[in-house]
């Protein structure tokens, strides 16, 4: 397993380009199953999770090709299998996103039930509730979701019991080809949900309200081929901004979308960052100052994203004052805390709350990545720490950050990968 080694305590400076959003690219690629003609998708990040969904779709008969400029062509004119095996779903939970499109277009799907994962139990009951409401018969047998629709799915009103991102996306994809109108209430409002709706609309779907809590889908007979460019990644954007803040640096991020991460920008300003934005760029300057500790609570969009919680915790470890971070979305998303403590951080945990009093400097240490965003927080801590930090098991980072060491090197960091 590869490792990253970082010599820290260097302010990041310079400019980099943000990649396409992982959590938009995955549902968009899954949605290719709905379309019986070739589609071209650009700004797709080259990540392990993208490779996993491409491999899953390939096994189903979708012809896929990828060029070296982040463009993917997908052709689902000849889907031969409706099966998503455990071996793939267990490596990436987002594989469950094939359920909605398969049911919507073919009336059949056999998808492994995703298990729990490092950050929580993460059930899919809301996805199944939505599919049943649209008329599918669903059995969960031997660890598999066996779904069948005897006739075309039929639109209805679905009130989600909790806000779920992939649950909303799965139901939206199933409803696109259904008969009549589907209304999803208490829908997730994340920009990635809106990006999926924009993609589907570009190919002939009739979806309105995406990005709000009520999404209305008027079923159409068929989608057609076309092109689409994936939204820039707001979590990658927030991670690099926080990397600059923790190192007291000054950076500019191009190909970013400031309006998708307002809650994060506000917290970074509270921490003392000077932030400037244009329509497709963001710059951050700490003017050499130590950040101030911030207090926040995670919640669904537009509130502060759980996917930025670990990075903000890293920032608090060296900040001035005490910050309190409450995680409300996932029940077990504090694994980075133990590793940060090994670098000298002062954090105490009380249930889903972490109280952190900043220290002057972290010390480099050997650490282990446990999930994607926890790993990102260790990279940030390593960039700020005095001395050398080793991060083991970085395959987690490769799932969600395209070329992380190249981008950080471009910003002046001393970071390299040691293959095992
Ligand atoms: N939940 C249920 N039942 C369901 C679905 C969800 O109880 O049927 C619960 C979950 O257990 C969790 C909460 O609802 O406590 C929210 O989960 P959600 O379904 O919104 O998460 P997700 O769709 O599985 C996506 C992202 C995650 C991100 C969350 C929250 C993708 C592929 N993944 O997951 O991204 O943390 O939304 O914003 O879009 C990451 O990129 O590192 C990542 C984990």
């Amino acid at each position: 397993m590869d490792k990253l080694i970082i010599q820290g305590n260097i302010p990041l400076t310079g400019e980099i380009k943000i990649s396409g959003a992982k959590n938009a690219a995955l549902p968009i690629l899954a949605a290719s199953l709905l379309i019986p003609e070739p589609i071209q998708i650009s700004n797709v990040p080259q990540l392990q999770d993208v490779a996993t969904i491409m491999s899953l779709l390939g096994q189903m008969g979708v012809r896929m090709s990828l060029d070296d400029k982040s463009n993917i062509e997908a052709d689902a004119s000849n889907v031969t299998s409706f099966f998503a095996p455990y071996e793939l779903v267990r490596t990436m939970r987002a594989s469950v996103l094939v359920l909605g499109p398969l049911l919507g277009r073919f009336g059949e799907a056999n998808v492994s039930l995703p298990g729990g994962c490092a950050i929580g139990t993460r059930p899919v009951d809301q996805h199944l509730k939505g599919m049943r409401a649209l008329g599918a018969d669903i059995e969960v047998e031997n660890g598999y979701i066996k779904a069948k629709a005897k006739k075309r799915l039929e639109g209805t009103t679905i009130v989600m019991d909790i806000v779920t991102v992939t649950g909303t996306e799965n139901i939206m994809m199933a409803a696109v080809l259904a008969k009549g109108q589907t209304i999803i209430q208490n829908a997730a409002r994340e920009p990635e949900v809106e990006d999926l709706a924009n993609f589907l609309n570009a190919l002939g779907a009739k979806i309105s309200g995406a990005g709000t809590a009520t999404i209305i889908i008027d079923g159409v007979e068929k989608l057609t081929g076309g092109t689409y460019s994936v939204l820039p990644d707001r979590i990658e954007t927030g991670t690099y901004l926080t990397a600059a803040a923790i190192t007291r640096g000054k950076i500019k991020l191009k190909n970013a979308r400031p309006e998708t991460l307002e809650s994060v920008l506000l917290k970074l300003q509270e921490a003392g960052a000077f932030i400037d934005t244009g329509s497709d760029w963001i710059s951050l300057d700490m003017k050499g100052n130590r950040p101030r500790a911030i207090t926040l609570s995670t919640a669904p969009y537009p509130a502060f994203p759980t996917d930025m919680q670990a990075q903000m915790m890293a920032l608090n470890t060296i900040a001035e004052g005490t910050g309190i971070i409450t995680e409300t979305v996932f029940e077990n998303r504090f694994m980075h805390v133990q590793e940060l403590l090994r670098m000298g951080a002062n954090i105490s945990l009380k249930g889903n709350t972490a109280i952190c009093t900043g220290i002057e400097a972290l010390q480099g240490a050997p650490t282990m990545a446990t999930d994607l965003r926890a790993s990102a927080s260790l990279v940030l801590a390593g960039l700020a720490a005095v001395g050398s930090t080793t991060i083991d098991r970085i395959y987690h980072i490769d799932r969600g950050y395209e070329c992380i060491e190249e981008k950080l090197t471009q910003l002046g960091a001393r970071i390299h990968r040691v293959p095992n």
Side-chain angles (χ1 to χ4, degrees), residues 22-24 26-27 49 92-97 117 119-129 160 162-169 188 190 192 233-235 299-301 305-308 327-331 333 371-374 399-401:
K22 165 179 87 76
N23 290 346
L26 295 175
D49 276 9
M92 188 186 70
R93 299 178 49 84
S95 310
V96 77
L97 285 166
C117 83
I119 61 177
T121 50
R122 303 182 76 179
V124 290
D125 56 299
Q126 296 300 305
H127 304 230
L128 304 190
K129 168 181 143 162
M160 308 297 285
I162 47 154
V163 177
T164 153
V165 176
T166 50
T168 303
E169 292 165 345
E190 269 66 4
E192 294 77 14
D233 196 312
R234 66 192 163 103
I235 305 299
Y301 193 84
T306 173
D307 290 345
M308 277 299 302
E327 171 60 52
T328 74
V329 179
F330 291 110
E331 62 269 40
R333 211 174 196 184
D371 80 88
L372 172 56
R373 307 304 172 188
R399 292 186 57 180
Y401 291 91

Side-chain angles (χ1 to χ4, degrees), residues 173-196:
M173 290 187 282
V176 155
L177 298 177
K179 192 171 150 212
Q181 187 173 75
T182 301
I183 302 177
I184 309 176
Q185 287 179 356
N186 198 23
R189 290 179 282 168
E190 269 66 4
E192 294 77 14
V193 175
E194 197 176 344
D195 206 41
L196 173 65

Side-chain angles (χ1 to χ4, degrees), residues 39 49 54 74 80 90 134 148 170 221 237 303 362 392 414:
I39 54 169
D49 276 9
M54 284 178 72
T80 48
R90 73 172 180 165
L134 292 169
K148 265 211 156 83
N170 235 340
E221 293 287 331
T237 308
L362 292 169
D392 206 346
R414 286 174 63 198

Side-chain angles (χ1 to χ4, degrees), residues 100-348:
L102 285 173
L103 256 178
R105 178 162 162 219
F106 304 104
E108 192 178 337
N110 186 1
V111 177
S112 171
L113 199 61
C117 83
I119 61 177
T121 50
R122 303 182 76 179
V124 290
D125 56 299
Q126 296 300 305
H127 304 230
L128 304 190
K129 168 181 143 162
M131 304 298 152
R132 286 191 176 110
L134 292 169
D137 288 329
I138 310 241
E139 303 286 341
V140 176
E141 267 174 30
N142 307 111
Y144 278 81
I145 305 164
K146 298 196 169 151
K148 265 211 156 83
K150 289 191 194 75
K151 53 185 174 61
R152 187 176 171 196
L153 296 177
E154 245 178 78
T156 183
T157 295
I158 299 163
V159 184
M160 308 297 285
D161 296 326
I162 47 154
V163 177
T164 153
V165 176
T166 50
T168 303
E169 292 165 345
N170 235 340
I171 295 169
M172 192 160 84
M173 290 187 282
V176 155
L177 298 177
K179 192 171 150 212
Q181 187 173 75
T182 301
I183 302 177
I184 309 176
Q185 287 179 356
N186 198 23
R189 290 179 282 168
E190 269 66 4
E192 294 77 14
V193 175
E194 197 176 344
D195 206 41
L196 173 65
N198 290 342
F199 162 72
L200 292 167
N201 284 342
L203 306 185
K206 288 200 178 129
I207 303 171
S208 58
T212 77
T214 303
I215 301 179
I216 300 171
I217 305 134
D218 287 299
V220 295
E221 293 287 331
K222 181 173 181 289
L223 300 179
T224 54
T227 60
Y228 193 76
S229 178
V230 174
L231 173 85
D233 196 312
R234 66 192 163 103
I235 305 299
E236 188 198 22
T237 308
T239 301
Y240 284 108
L241 291 174
T242 312
I246 199 173
T247 60
R248 308 185 189 191
K250 178 182 176 183
I251 65 167
K252 182 171 181 182
L253 304 177
K254 293 176 293 181
N255 190 35
R257 284 275 290 275
E259 72 278 15
T260 61
L261 70 158
E262 273 171 9
S263 60
V264 174
L265 299 183
L266 287 169
K267 285 296 164 190
L268 287 168
Q269 280 169 333
E270 258 180 67
F274 294 85
I275 290 181
D276 209 355
T277 61
S279 62
D280 62 352
W281 59 269
I282 305 179
S283 66
L284 178 145
D285 188 354
M286 286 304 285
K287 302 205 190 275
N289 294 326
R290 181 180 180 190
R292 292 188 292 270
I294 48 181
T295 288
L296 62 88
S297 190
T298 66
Y301 193 84
F304 193 90
T306 173
D307 290 345
M308 277 299 302
Q309 177 260 107
Q311 299 87 318
M312 287 295 176
M313 185 94 76
L315 186 74
N316 273 352
T317 62
I318 52 87
E320 199 182 323
T322 297
I324 300 172
I325 293 187
T326 306
E327 171 60 52
T328 74
V329 179
F330 291 110
E331 62 269 40
N332 187 28
R333 211 174 196 184
F334 279 150
M335 277 99 53
H336 41 288
V337 169
Q338 294 308 323
E339 300 299 297
L340 293 171
L341 291 177
R342 298 183 49 260
M343 298 176 74
N346 177 2
I347 308 172
S348 62

